[in-house]
Amino acid sequence: MAITLVNPSGLPEIDVYRQVSVATGSKLVFMAGQVAWDAKGVTVGEGDLAAQVEQCYLNVATALAGVGASFNDVAKLTVHVVDWTPEKMPLFLEGAARAAAKLGVTPVPPATLIGVAALDVPEHLVELEAVAVID
C-alpha cells in the first residue's frame, strides 16, 4: 500500500478523515471531479444530497478501479458542495457511509470540503475529486 494515513499529535482527530497522508508509490493518479452520474450520464438522486454523495464516492471507486487502484490508495479528497451549510453535514455523512458500506471500505484520507455557488449543471449538488498514489 502506497498511502499511510496519520493524525499527528497536536492536531484534532476528525472521525471522517485523517489530517495527513504519506505517499510512497511511484505513480500519481489524478481524476476529474466525479458527480452523481450513472454510467449512462444520467443524474442519480436529483435534489437528494445523500444520494448524490453516495454516487460520487461510488464513481470515484470506479475511476480508481479502472487504473488498478482503490480508496486505500487515495492521498487526498476534495469535495465541492453547492450552497454548503454546516446543517448539511449529516446528509453528507449519510451518503459517504452508504458508499463505504457498499464498497467495504472506510475512506478517510485527508479531505477538504468547499462550498460553491454552482457546479456543471443545476442538478448536481456535489462533486468529489481524488488524488491517489500507486506503485
Side-chain angles (χ1 to χ4, degrees):
M1 185 179 331
I3 303 295
T4 302
L5 301 176
V6 181
N7 274 324
S9 178
L11 293 176
E13 288 191 25
I14 309 297
D15 290 340
V16 295
Y17 65 87
R18 302 299 175 261
Q19 294 286 359
V20 176
S21 66
V22 179
T24 58
S26 59
K27 295 179 185 177
L28 293 175
V29 178
F30 299 92
M31 70 178 62
Q34 297 300 304
V35 294
W37 277 330
D38 65 13
K40 295 180 181 177
V42 175
T43 299
V44 173
E46 191 167 337
D48 182 342
L49 181 61
Q52 289 202 15
V53 168
E54 178 182 5
Q55 186 64 43
C56 288
Y57 272 92
L58 296 175
N59 288 350
V60 167
T62 299
L64 290 166
V67 295
S70 73
F71 265 101
N72 291 330
D73 301 305
V74 174
K76 177 77 167 83
L77 290 173
T78 303
V79 184
H80 300 87
V81 182
V82 174
D83 296 328
W84 176 257
T85 63
E87 292 78 23
K88 293 182 180 181
M89 185 59 83
L91 290 172
F92 179 86
L93 294 175
E94 176 187 335
R98 291 190 329 217
K102 283 184 178 177
L103 297 168
V105 299
T106 304
V108 292
T112 300
L113 191 152
I114 302 166
V116 297
L119 292 170
D120 59 329
V121 296
E123 303 80 53
H124 291 157
L125 303 176
V126 63
E127 185 168 331
L128 180 64
E129 63 180 284
V131 176
V133 179
I134 55 178
D135 292 319

